[in-house]
Amino acid sequence: MSVSATSSTPSAYEMLREQYASRLPRSLEELAGPTAGTVDLPLHVVWSGRRSYGLSQPRSRMSLYRTVLAEGQQQDLIAFLDRSLLIAQWPILRTLISRPLRDAWENRFPELPTDKAATAA
């Protein structure tokens, strides 16, 4: 009689969440990115399409944060994201990113607001 072993292979969701979690800063206080002006992302973060984002324009700022969260490495998160702007935009931003990415950030940083009724700054 043979007994099949339960697979302990992580799911694609778990692997992605861990990949994102490994890039996170130790705390949101490390996020010291700009709060005004224009941000030009390097090619290793955005290799095609738009690379320049105006922080005074809410849609442009949201697009910048979405791109950096999804594609940036830890040093990019620290250099291009600002703690206050991230927290202010999080209620909407969290709906624009993948579930594994959102869960990695929210599991590590409980100070991120998850109230979907809130509006972004």
Side-chain angles (χ1 to χ4, degrees):
M1 176 164 106
S2 102
V3 178
S4 63
T6 304
S7 174
S8 63
T9 305
S11 69
Y13 163 82
E14 292 166 329
M15 290 187 329
L16 277 173
R17 187 187 64 216
E18 285 307 310
Q19 179 185 2
Y20 289 127
S22 71
R23 302 184 325 205
L24 297 178
R26 288 182 297 274
S27 74
L28 291 183
E29 283 70 31
E30 289 185 18
L31 302 180
T35 59
T38 300
V39 174
D40 294 317
L41 292 178
L43 284 173
H44 72 270
V45 177
V46 60
W47 50 90
S48 69
R50 181 179 181 182
R51 293 186 51 215
S52 187
Y53 302 86
L55 293 175
S56 64
Q57 303 159 327
R59 292 182 101 168
S60 179
R61 186 176 59 237
M62 191 74 68
S63 183
L64 166 73
Y65 274 61
R66 181 180 179 193
T67 300
V68 173
L69 286 169
E71 304 297 337
Q73 296 302 310
Q74 186 179 57
Q75 67 273 15
D76 301 313
L77 300 172
I78 292 168
F80 297 114
L81 303 181
D82 172 77
R83 178 189 180 277
S84 296
L85 287 177
L86 178 68
I87 290 172
Q89 294 183 124
W90 192 256
I92 292 175
L93 187 58
R94 70 186 302 276
T95 68
L96 302 174
I97 58 177
S98 70
R99 192 176 124 221
L101 178 56
R102 180 183 66 235
D103 290 350
W105 278 84
E106 290 178 353
N107 288 340
R108 176 81 56 91
F109 305 114
E111 63 263 49
L112 289 173
T114 58
D115 178 12
K116 296 176 185 136
T119 58

